[in-house]
Amino acid sequence: MRKFLTLVAAIAISATIIACGKSNNGAEDKPLHNTPNEEPAGKEITKKANGSIRIMSYNVGVFNKYIKDGYEDVANIIKEADADVMLFQELDSCATRTGGVYQLKHICSMLGKEWDYHFGAGLLSFQGGKYGVGIAADKTPKSKAAKNLNNYNDGERRGLAVMEFEDYVVASTHLGLKDEAQINQLAEITAFLTEKYGASGKPILLGGDLNAASGFALIPELKKNWTILSTTATATYSTEKDKYCIDYILLLNNGAKVEVLNSEVVREAKSANVKTASDHYPIFIDMKIK
């Protein structure tokens, strides 16, 4: 009898896990946990250029793409990179599938110094919590803002998180999959940031997973109002099979200027295996404000 009850319980648990595998509100809800061929940690991340601000964008895949609860690996990569500002995509906030953890707060607690952070939900209701994008910075911003973007019949809702500092503005986003959604979502972002910060004279930077490679309709449309600052010479997705450069850091063409001293796709780190930390490589720019 005890064996029978144990079997029933196991089946019930499996059914629960399967039932949680896909939400009906559109988020990409499938932590993979099917670790690719393990590779050792590699060479050290390039040191930050002297006197520069390092802005890094990273789709972290709710820290559960190839390894379960991969917070430590991501934190080690960020610390090794010595980033000043982190633009995150694919974050859960208190969602059931990732154990109810406020992921942005949790990763910031692991970075070795006090970080300010700001979450922007795309999905305001997701498995008992939220899902979206975020920003973290090692200094206190002057202000914060967020915006929910329309989905334009392209599945999940998308979001925008913004931090304003004394001399620049940064924002993080994750665009939809279809051309129409990407173009319209970027137009929403451009209008929002221009209205709110365009007259400030400050550089306005947008980073994230745009889901658009060089041949996509978004890229020529994007260049009407934005300049791509990050390197596009290397694939940023996926770490399992190099496919596309779809992660970017952009500058709004509002007259403000920055100098980019270096830009890289982080394909290796000494402190962690980048290929299993997420399905995206992190990217960064080292910039000076002119």
Side-chain angles (χ1 to χ4, degrees):
M1 182 66 174
R2 180 176 299 173
K3 289 183 179 179
F4 174 75
L5 292 175
T6 302
L7 178 60
V8 171
I11 292 171
I13 291 169
S14 297
T16 300
I17 293 171
I18 293 169
C20 291
K22 184 66 180 175
S23 166
N24 60 10
N25 54 15
E28 188 65 18
D29 179 13
K30 51 177 183 180
L32 301 179
H33 310 324
N34 57 341
T35 308
N37 293 330
E38 187 67 24
E39 295 184 12
K43 64 181 181 181
E44 188 174 10
I45 298 171
T46 304
K47 297 293 186 184
K48 183 165 53 182
N50 288 338
S52 68
I53 301 164
R54 176 163 289 183
I55 297 176
M56 178 176 277
S57 181
Y58 201 173
N59 181 326
V60 293
V62 297
F63 304 94
N64 276 267
K65 282 295 182 182
Y66 296 137
I67 54 176
K68 184 174 176 57
D69 298 333
Y71 299 102
E72 185 175 357
D73 281 359
V74 172
N76 286 340
I77 291 166
I78 294 170
K79 287 189 288 185
E80 183 180 329
D82 192 22
D84 299 295
V85 178
M86 287 300 308
L87 311 176
F88 291 107
Q89 300 86 49
E90 293 198 28
L91 294 170
D92 277 354
S93 173
C94 308
T96 302
R97 67 172 175 180
T98 44
V101 175
Y102 183 7
Q103 291 191 318
L104 182 56
K105 180 179 180 180
H106 184 60
I107 191 66
C108 287
S109 73
M110 301 177 69
L111 296 180
K113 53 185 175 181
E114 188 172 346
W115 284 62
D116 205 324
Y117 52 87
H118 181 47
F119 180 74
L123 290 171
L124 294 168
S125 178
F126 177 68
Q127 289 199 357
K130 300 176 183 179
Y131 169 81
V133 299
I135 300 179
D138 64 359
K139 64 178 182 179
T140 303
K142 179 180 178 181
S143 67
K144 300 176 183 179
K147 179 176 174 57
N148 296 107
L149 306 174
N150 292 311
N151 67 354
Y152 299 97
N153 299 312
D154 187 33
E156 70 192 67
R157 293 290 297 270
R158 305 288 178 164
L160 177 76
V162 187
M163 279 188 176
E164 179 191 13
F165 298 98
E166 289 298 327
D167 47 1
Y168 63 97
V169 177
V170 289
S172 176
T173 197
H174 185 187
L175 300 186
L177 299 174
K178 298 177 182 177
D179 289 344
E180 180 185 3
Q182 292 171 1
I183 290 169
N184 285 314
Q185 287 163 354
L186 185 64
E188 284 189 59
I189 291 169
T190 303
F192 178 79
L193 294 176
T194 300
E195 180 180 355
K196 198 168 183 65
Y197 308 105
S200 68
K202 300 176 183 180
I204 299 169
L205 297 108
L206 174 68
D209 176 359
L210 305 190
N211 273 318
S214 59
F216 284 52
L218 177 69
I219 303 305
E221 193 68 25
L222 173 158
K223 291 179 179 179
K224 294 177 181 178
N225 296 294
W226 297 86
T227 299
I228 299 173
L229 300 182
S230 54
T231 180
T232 59
T234 307
T236 65
Y237 173 86
S238 72
T239 56
E240 199 168 11
K241 295 179 180 179
D242 287 357
K243 291 184 177 181
Y244 312 109
C245 175
I246 60 174
D247 299 85
Y248 302 87
I249 299 173
L250 314 174
L251 176 70
L252 184 65
N253 298 333
N254 68 332
K257 304 293 184 182
V258 302
E259 179 184 4
V260 177
L261 304 179
N262 187 28
S263 176
E264 293 185 20
V265 176
V266 179
R267 300 179 63 85
E268 295 182 71
K270 188 174 182 180
S271 58
N273 186 348
V274 177
K275 288 183 177 293
T276 56
S278 177
D279 58 340
H280 286 246
Y281 294 103
I283 66 171
F284 69 76
I285 63 167
D286 293 343
M287 71 169 194
K288 288 185 176 180
I289 299 169
K290 292 185 175 181

